[in-house]
Amino acid sequence: MTDDRPRQLGRTPPMGWNSWNAFSCDVTEADIRTAADALVDTGLREAGYEYIVVDDCWMATETDSEGRLLPSADFPNGMAALADYVHERGLKFGLYTSAGTKTCQGYPASLGRERLHAEQFAEWGIDYLKYDNCGDHRGRDAIDRYAAMGDALESVDREIVYSICEWGENRPWKWGRNVGGHLWRATDDLVAKWRADPDEFGLGIADALDRMADIDAGAAHGPGGWNDPDMLQIGNGPQSGQSEHEPVDVQRPLTKAERRTHFAFWCLLAAPLMIGTDLTSLSRFDRELLTNERLLAIDQDPLGIQGTPDRRDSDAEVWSKRLADGGAAVAFHNRGDAERDISTHVSAVDVAGGTGRYRVCDCWTGNEWDTGGSLAMTADPRDTAIVRVTPC
Ligand code: GLA
């Protein structure tokens, strides 16, 4: 167990792009190069998105004779060359494997070969490892399996962000830091729907918010270690994030209001921001959403506090998050079917008191005004108004 390492990595929630939702098991080296270029060309790198992570299916079906992972034929130049390509664009490079005998798509994985694989990853120049929970666990519990890779990453001569993908099954927020993790999934896979049916794969945006409200996971969350409610589904249809073995009906993609709520809440939760869509077809609305500086400042606020609900009743929700400047981000979320006014007061959210005057900034429009304490916003159905409140 490695709970005494200096935590220089992940001081704010990691930001980047992951291949899974956009490319699933068909991902190729060319897709990754294109994504790296697109992250730069769209201005997303400039906004702070820095990791390019190749998810499942990058590896060949067989290892070498000593158990090392080999890239598949879809990565003809190998992972060191791909890492170089990503690094040359001022970005960081990540890979995926699993804490079992196989990945979720049945490729060779890392249980029992942690040190060997961590050495490979360091030699290739990777900066981020997503470590999934599929395959045979050989009777070993989650903490033991995730600690083995944490120790292996600690032993190599390279700083690698350790992203634990255990789906929140064994409350990883209790032990994620102690096994060296910088972020840990708190939920099942997110899909690009508002709600998923209980018997279908994954969680919709509203399901994930309910789960984040219900689990008492905020205490472990902060600089160096983050609860992860999964990749951003902005830009995706509801079929994204499914393997070919798990077909679902194609329904409508997320509406603009739902996408706004998704992004506002991931920032309010100080969640890792890993984009999950094909960047070559990003709409203007989605690009502007993902690069909203006021929201990114809330996500990346140095205090690193996870926002929590102050009020969840009759389809009106108020959530807030304390910020390093003594102010707070306050979200007004409408769960209902009709536009509604939602109000609260600074005394009901976590704002430093004393001055009696507060500056309010609407994170969507940039409009600013003063208040003596009352806060009232209007939100469309499934939309979220979000403000930054600062004591004057
Ligand atoms: C699991 C993970 C996903 C993704 C897939 C890949 O479902 O939770 O994020 O990595 O495996 O197979």
Side-chain angles (χ1 to χ4, degrees):
M1 301 278 271
T2 52
D3 57 1
D4 55 352
R5 74 181 63 187
R7 304 193 70 83
Q8 298 311 323
L9 292 174
R11 299 303 299 169
T12 59
M15 294 171 62
W17 176 89
N18 174 298
S19 64
W20 180 247
N21 295 131
F23 295 103
S24 188
C25 225
D26 297 327
V27 64
T28 67
E29 178 181 308
D31 295 328
I32 300 305
R33 288 176 185 240
T34 302
D37 290 341
L39 206 69
V40 178
D41 295 344
T42 51
L44 288 163
R45 179 189 68 179
E46 198 61 30
Y49 296 89
E50 60 175 341
Y51 291 97
I52 292 276
V53 179
V54 192
D55 206 280
D56 206 345
C57 307
W58 61 265
M59 56 289 271
T61 51
E62 303 295 333
T63 63
D64 76 5
S65 57
E66 289 169 46
R68 287 190 191 84
L69 294 169
L70 300 170
S72 80
D74 290 325
F75 291 81
N77 294 295
M79 291 305 172
L82 190 52
D84 286 347
Y85 187 91
V86 170
H87 290 151
E88 280 159 15
R89 276 141 194 84
L91 299 167
K92 294 182 174 154
F93 185 57
L95 283 179
Y96 161 105
T97 175
S98 184
T101 50
K102 298 278 186 200
T103 73
C104 293
Q105 302 305 315
Y107 288 85
S110 299
L111 190 70
R113 301 167 180 154
E114 295 85 358
R115 192 63 76 96
L116 189 64
H117 292 178
E119 282 166 6
Q120 285 191 276
F121 298 147
E123 276 164 29
W124 288 343
I126 84 159
D127 308 294
Y128 184 111
L129 179 70
K130 175 172 169 180
Y131 202 40
D132 212 339
N133 198 26
C134 281
D136 188 339
H137 298 164
R138 297 210 169 117
R140 293 170 59 181
D141 73 17
I143 298 180
D144 179 35
R145 288 179 293 114
Y146 282 92
M149 184 54 89
D151 287 344
L153 292 174
E154 173 69 2
S155 75
V156 298
D157 190 19
R158 189 166 179 92
E159 298 243 283
I160 298 175
V161 168
Y162 183 24
S163 164
I164 292 173
C165 180
E166 187 264 357
W167 316 317
E169 287 192 343
N170 294 281
R171 301 198 294 169
W173 47 91
K174 296 277 187 191
W175 47 265
R177 271 179 197 266
N178 286 348
V179 301
H182 299 96
L183 60 160
W184 42 84
R185 278 270 296 279
T187 59
D188 279 339
D189 289 22
L190 194 67
V191 294
K193 287 184 168 180
W194 183 243
R195 284 222 181 262
D197 294 334
D199 57 352
E200 93 189 335
F201 177 81
L203 296 179
I205 308 304
D207 305 316
L209 287 181
D210 289 346
R211 174 150 169 93
M212 294 306 285
D214 288 346
I215 58 177
D216 187 16
H221 181 96
W226 308 95
N227 293 317
D228 175 10
D230 205 8
M231 272 95 75
L232 294 166
Q233 298 305 320
I234 290 157
N236 289 342
Q239 75 279 19
S240 307
Q242 308 296 316
S243 77
E244 55 200 326
H245 312 298
E246 294 160 317
V248 292
D249 292 340
V250 175
Q251 297 170 11
R252 60 171 177 66
L254 296 169
T255 65
K256 286 183 178 175
E258 291 165 349
R259 277 178 268 165
R260 254 206 300 255
T261 289
H262 181 11
F263 194 63
F265 269 94
W266 262 237
C267 292
L268 191 89
L269 291 168
L273 299 178
M274 300 301 286
I275 297 169
T277 197
D278 180 352
L279 296 174
T280 62
S281 54
L282 196 64
S283 69
R284 182 173 170 182
F285 177 87
D286 289 343
R287 180 169 49 76
E288 287 178 358
L289 189 57
L290 293 167
T291 56
N292 181 308
E293 287 180 3
R294 290 179 282 269
L295 284 169
L296 291 173
I298 290 168
D299 182 77
Q300 298 285 302
D301 185 78
L303 266 192
I305 288 178
Q306 177 177 304
T308 48
D310 300 304
R311 176 180 144 200
R312 303 190 87 206
D313 55 58
S314 57
D315 289 340
E317 303 194 5
V318 178
W319 294 52
S320 62
K321 164 182 164 40
R322 182 69 174 262
L323 300 170
D325 64 3
V330 185
F332 304 79
H333 173 44
N334 180 358
R335 284 277 174 121
D337 297 329
E339 181 187 283
R340 65 181 299 156
D341 299 329
I342 304 173
S343 56
T344 187
H345 191 272
V346 289
S347 58
V349 299
D350 192 9
V351 182
T355 61
R357 261 349 259 173
Y358 305 86
R359 192 93 188 131
V360 186
C361 177
D362 182 328
C363 296
W364 296 129
T365 62
N367 291 343
E368 296 195 12
W369 62 95
D370 285 351
T371 178
S374 306
L375 299 167
M377 300 296 289
T378 304
D380 285 336
R382 296 187 179 174
D383 208 344
T384 299
I386 180 164
V387 299
R388 184 175 183 124
V389 184
T390 316
C392 295

